Amino acid sequence: KAGVTQTPRYLIKTRGQQVTLSCSPISGHRSVSWYQQTPGQGLQFLFEYFSETQRNKGNFPGRFSGRQFSNSRSEMNVSTLELGDSALYLCASSLLASGFSSTDTQYFGPGTRLTVL
Amino acid sequence: GESVGLHLPTLSVQEGDNSIINCAYSNSASDYFIWYKQESGKGPQFIIDIRSNMDKRQGQRVTVLLNKTVKHLSLQIAATQPGDSAVYFCAEISGGYQKVTFGIGTKLQVIP
């Protein structure tokens, strides 16, 4: 079974631009979560989608948005990029659970490395 | 490969020795805790979890200890192998399993 895939793997943008990242969950998984990982802050939760609806949201500005399609694939968009948005963006999928569950493990993709110049 | 964190605390251990990685968490009401392993260039991988009503849980070569009194979590890896080299970080979950806070992580280097 294929794992979580994310595209592109690397991206370079300039300040003020916008970017869209894509995540394809494991087949059959309906929950997709997005995270930002930086050396200083570690891993931080952005939002979670289930059945095309955002179920949970972390503490990020409105420039960060996402959506989920009927096939469970998800996209994340960041508008008006800032230097501080440079990070590894990770997506994780799980079968059903909202939040975290010991019976429904989240599987992470390899991430998209975004560099903002 | 990519570096997950440039200024992480580092633990160097000899192959075959036991490793202990520590994590201090912040919320005494956290319900659930997870340890992750992240290898260079890859996403985090679930290792082991523990609920707040337990103080110890064992997996294959790994043990997690939870001390709620001092809000401390540890991951013990027995007979550490070169393949264990990675960044390890903990996650504390609260708010009815909805809110997650991740630790910064510890880089484990295994010396062959």
Side-chain angles (χ1 to χ4, degrees):
Chain A
K1 193 163 89 155
V4 178
T5 57
Q6 293 187 246
T7 56
R9 290 294 312 276
Y10 301 90
L11 204 49
I12 299 175
K13 292 283 187 179
T14 55
R15 276 182 301 174
Q17 285 188 309
Q18 75 157 24
V19 67
T20 299
L21 312 181
S22 181
C23 171
S24 293
I26 290 172
S27 178
H29 283 195
R30 294 170 63 188
S31 170
V32 174
S33 297
W34 287 90
Y35 300 86
Q36 181 195 66
Q37 187 174 40
T38 58
Q41 298 290 323
L43 201 59
Q44 293 182 285
F45 172 73
L46 279 155
F47 28 65
E48 184 214 353
Y49 285 88
F50 180 83
S51 291
E52 303 176 66
T53 301
Q54 187 181 90
R55 276 201 302 207
N56 277 311
K57 190 176 189 306
N59 190 26
F60 276 81
R63 298 185 298 107
F64 292 81
S65 63
R67 59 177 175 166
Q68 187 180 33
F69 302 95
S70 57
N71 62 358
S72 293
R73 191 177 69 84
S74 177
E75 286 182 348
M76 190 196 103
N77 185 75
V78 188
S79 62
T80 321
L81 284 165
E82 300 176 359
L83 295 179
D85 296 334
S86 293
L88 181 67
Y89 289 89
L90 292 156
C91 134
S93 76
S94 63
L95 205 55
L96 292 172
S98 171
F100 291 80
S101 164
S102 61
T103 58
D104 188 10
T105 305
Q106 278 195 339
Y107 294 88
F108 284 83
T112 294
R113 171 73 61 186
L114 172 65
T115 302
V116 182
L117 302 175
Chain B
E2 296 170 353
S3 172
V4 172
L6 298 178
H7 304 290
L8 294 174
T10 299
L11 174 66
S12 296
V13 298
Q14 207 72 38
E15 181 179 357
D17 286 353
N18 296 334
S19 303
I20 300 176
I21 299 169
N22 297 304
C23 176
Y25 64 92
S26 57
N27 186 351
S28 57
S30 289
D31 309 301
Y32 177 55
F33 304 87
I34 304 173
W35 276 102
Y36 291 95
K37 171 186 180 183
Q38 188 171 18
E39 296 174 272
S40 185
K42 296 184 179 179
Q45 177 188 358
F46 172 97
I47 302 174
I48 191 168
D49 59 358
I50 189 167
R51 292 183 183 274
S52 59
N53 62 352
M54 303 170 70
D55 53 24
K56 180 179 180 178
R57 189 153 190 242
Q58 287 185 295
Q60 188 177 12
R61 279 201 310 119
V62 294
T63 301
V64 55
L65 299 177
L66 175 62
N67 185 331
K68 292 184 285 292
T69 303
V70 294
K71 290 188 286 187
H72 184 266
L73 197 64
S74 70
L75 175 71
Q76 300 177 1
I77 304 173
T80 313
Q81 301 168 1
D84 295 328
S85 293
V87 172
Y88 291 81
F89 57 90
C90 66
E92 59 174 304
I93 291 94
S94 59
Y97 292 82
Q98 300 293 320
K99 178 175 160 51
V100 60
T101 304
F102 295 93
I104 295 295
T106 296
K107 186 173 183 179
L108 176 65
Q109 289 181 330
V110 181
I111 305 163

